[in-house]
Amino acid sequence: MGGDVLKPDLCVIGAGSGGLSVAAAAAQLGVEVVLIEKHKMGGDCLNYGCVPSKALLAAAKRAEEMRTAKPFGIAPTSPTINPGAVRAHVEAVIRAIEPNDSVERFTGLGVRVIQAPARFIARNAVAAGAFEVRARRFVVATGSSPAIPPIPGLEEVDYFTNETIFENGEKIDSLIVIGGGPIGLELAQAHHRLGSRVTVLEALKALGKDDPELAEPLLARLREEGIDIREGARVERVERVACMEGGEGAPGVRVVFSQAGSEHTLEASHLLVATGRKPNVDGLDLNVAGIKYDERGIAVSKWLKTSNRRVWAIGDVIGGPQFTHVANYHAGLVVRQAVFRLPAAAHHDRIPWITFTDPELAHVGLAEDEARKRYRNIRVLRWPYHENDRAQAELATLGFVKVVTTRRGKILGASIMGRQAGELIHMWCLAISAKLSIKHMTAFISPYPSLSEINKRVAYGYYLPKLASPLVRKAVQWLARLG
Ligand code: NAD
């Protein structure tokens, strides 16, 4: 190699959520760490994912609140959207969070940061820029990228992915979104509320990973708001056209798709592809290090170890649930193993997720259909937002909470669709990981009036059949006779 040779305890490849968490924790515990990043510190979450999408959705929500103020007695207005200023807002949010993930911060923590692409040159060595890193242990945390489907014509047109759409500062007259997963729908609603005409083309079922009982009313609300969501839509080809909407002759796209046996054509000024993710393994020369992988990602054991016993892989690159909080969870497990030499296996059955549309959709644990497969007897509890006084006050009565328990009251899973579902789900995340029973969810004083009261109220539902039983009624009547 001829480069400088570094011999740290731990070498982390990828400075996204997972890699940064491992590097920060290990360095703070006194471990010598080298962190290698070829592109932006902070990875997908900070630059192209969670952070910019939530900032864009916040701008979109503000615009929508201006349009829909009438029921509160406030004259609604049609807001003037300045796309450049919206983009500046998104960038400012990234800039505000960025220092936490910066080279300066990590260097300050004692991490040696190398900004170059890494590739394995041996089972125990990586080359990056002018360095050769021979570490005792490695963590591959290189994340994922948008998976682009092989649609004829796609390579000949301009299209956005989540990696490019947040850089846009121009007006988007109309947007076709291919893919109705969380990324597709969040960006569809954000752009719709910021003034674009939006159509979503989903090959199968939109929000197909969520319980349809909650996903369906959410999709109905999004459609009511004006987003055209077409399911079972198979995209046949994409063509470049001169789009009339963007001004005479402005470039646009035409998408030809089939749905229910007939062919349809749609035109728009812009196209977004949000059809899932592929693991970032290219250029790493994983074979050189004996690390097995396929198109779904790097193969790992339940301890997140790859086929090379010196190397762990975490986060999106292993192809499981692809969320920042999962990458962080993996990071904690690897630190326990690498630093404290403690066994720490990954369990993916308690992973929560949130789709940040408005209203939100949140889930943790087992969904009803999975619970029915695993348990003979389950209880399904539901409680609607419209029975909650705070929801009434805020005119946010759409939605409900659904909880699945065993017959004996062990909490198996919870899903919430409605205002702030992503906040309300935390209580169930704690309950499930602390192995609380449904009884615990009724045994505290819940401050009134708050949306979170629906969590307690749904739990009461577990006892309703018992309270209504003839035996209990008889006992109450007997007690009443005592005076
Ligand atoms: P996804 O896999 O969740 O959804 C992609 C959708 O595109 C699927 O419904 C699929 O059927 C559809 N699709 C695929 N090919 C298609 C085609 N040719 N034509 C039409 N539709 C097609 O992927 P995503 O939405 O891109 O999200 C990627 C990952 O990031 C997921 O794991 C997701 O859970 C995660 N994520 C989560 C959040 C969140 O929780 N809020 C936000 C963003 C991303």
Side-chain angles (χ1 to χ4, degrees):
M1 271 300 298
D4 289 350
V5 176
L6 305 175
K7 294 184 175 175
D9 291 323
L10 192 62
C11 173
V12 180
I13 305 172
S17 306
L20 288 174
S21 300
V22 172
Q28 287 175 90
L29 290 164
V31 175
E32 205 185 322
V33 182
V34 166
L35 173 64
I36 309 176
E37 170 57 56
K38 69 173 177 180
H39 194 37
K40 290 188 182 179
M41 296 290 286
D44 223 66
C45 178
L46 174 66
N47 299 290
Y48 322 115
C50 326
V51 171
S53 64
K54 265 71 269 175
L56 192 72
L57 280 163
K61 188 172 182 211
R62 195 52 72 100
E64 187 65 6
E65 283 168 355
M66 292 170 74
R67 290 186 194 103
T68 55
K70 193 172 174 200
F72 296 92
I74 299 163
T77 59
S78 179
T80 306
I81 314 285
N82 176 341
V86 172
R87 175 188 163 181
H89 150 70
V90 171
E91 276 180 9
V93 174
I94 295 175
R95 297 288 96 82
I97 296 173
E98 200 171 50
N100 291 336
D101 296 355
S102 64
V103 173
E104 294 71 27
R105 172 168 177 245
F106 278 80
T107 306
L109 290 174
V111 175
R112 177 81 178 250
V113 181
I114 301 175
Q115 292 180 282
R119 66 187 167 84
F120 281 94
I121 52 171
R123 288 183 70 86
N124 63 346
V126 154
F131 297 95
E132 181 180 326
V133 186
R134 288 187 213 151
R136 289 176 67 183
R137 294 179 171 79
F138 292 84
V139 178
V140 180
T142 47
S144 64
S145 307
I148 306 301
I151 297 172
L154 195 55
E155 290 314 320
E156 278 91 67
V157 302
D158 291 330
Y159 60 86
F160 291 124
T161 65
N162 70 297
E163 290 185 354
T164 52
I165 198 160
F166 300 108
E167 286 166 10
N168 174 63
E170 306 294 319
K171 183 166 190 314
I172 294 180
D173 291 299
S174 49
L175 180 68
I176 296 173
V177 180
I178 303 182
I183 296 185
L185 286 178
E186 288 179 12
L187 287 171
Q189 188 176 39
H191 284 87
H192 167 73
R193 290 181 162 190
L194 292 169
S196 312
R197 186 169 55 79
V198 179
T199 308
V200 178
L201 298 178
E202 163 57 47
L204 305 169
K205 194 81 208 70
L207 294 175
K209 292 174 190 159
D210 282 280
D211 182 343
E213 188 181 345
L214 290 98
E216 281 305 328
L218 169 58
L219 293 171
R221 168 53 65 93
L222 297 179
R223 287 182 170 119
E224 233 171 68
E225 201 176 296
I227 304 166
D228 184 3
I229 303 169
R230 316 265 185 112
E231 296 175 293
R234 189 191 144 85
V235 178
E236 304 292 349
R237 62 182 186 278
V238 176
E239 297 159 3
R240 187 194 291 270
V241 287
C243 180
M244 290 309 136
E245 248 181 308
E248 191 77 21
V253 286
R254 173 183 296 143
V255 178
V256 181
F257 64 99
S258 52
Q259 193 184 21
S262 51
E263 197 170 273
H264 305 263
T265 300
L266 276 176
E267 287 185 10
S269 62
H270 293 79
L271 179 67
L272 166 69
V273 178
T275 48
R277 318 278 307 166
K278 65 174 173 43
N280 290 335
V281 290
D282 288 351
L284 286 170
D285 286 348
L286 295 173
N287 293 329
V288 174
I291 299 171
K292 289 191 182 140
Y293 68 98
D294 62 20
E295 70 289 347
R296 283 166 302 168
I298 296 179
V300 291
S301 67
K302 65 179 173 180
W303 295 279
L304 305 171
K305 270 274 174 75
T306 68
S307 49
N308 176 337
R309 62 180 182 81
R310 289 172 182 273
V311 184
W312 284 275
I314 64 170
D316 281 14
V317 77
I318 68 169
Q322 292 175 313
F323 302 105
T324 288
H325 47 278
V326 173
N328 290 337
Y329 165 62
H330 289 169
L333 299 176
V334 165
V335 169
R336 278 181 64 170
Q337 297 176 70
V339 180
F340 296 110
R341 312 293 152 96
L342 292 168
H347 298 284
H348 287 135
D349 51 355
R350 288 180 230 147
I351 303 295
W353 66 80
I354 306 163
T355 300
F356 293 89
T357 44
D358 175 20
E360 295 175 348
L361 177 57
H363 174 79
V364 61
L366 295 183
E368 182 183 347
D369 58 349
E370 297 161 306
R372 287 199 189 283
K373 279 182 215 151
R374 291 204 213 169
Y375 293 84
R376 210 141 39 110
N377 272 318
I378 61 164
R379 294 277 309 276
V380 181
L381 315 170
R382 298 176 178 83
W383 191 254
Y385 268 59
H386 67 75
E387 289 288 352
N388 176 277
D389 294 0
R390 181 66 179 273
Q392 286 289 351
E394 296 191 1
L395 307 184
T397 52
L398 177 73
F400 67 103
V401 53
K402 174 174 174 180
V403 176
V404 182
T405 72
T406 61
R407 197 170 53 87
R408 299 176 72 92
K410 180 184 171 196
I411 303 164
L412 300 175
S415 306
I416 310 178
M417 190 278 285
R419 162 104 22 122
Q420 293 203 24
E423 305 300 324
L424 271 53
I425 199 74
H426 287 237
M427 216 188 257
W428 298 104
C429 299
L430 174 65
I432 290 173
S433 60
K435 299 189 167 60
L436 301 184
S437 83
I438 199 75
K439 182 174 150 218
H440 293 105
M441 301 302 284
T442 62
F444 64 99
I445 300 172
S446 194
Y448 172 88
S450 54
L451 291 177
S452 295
E453 284 176 276
I454 64 165
N455 286 334
K456 186 174 175 184
R457 196 60 192 74
V458 74
Y460 277 131
Y462 177 82
Y463 297 99
L464 278 183
K466 281 186 188 145
L467 292 175
S469 78
L471 197 68
V472 172
R473 280 166 176 270
K474 255 199 191 133
V476 171
Q477 281 161 12
W478 184 77
L479 287 170
R481 265 192 249 129
L482 296 180

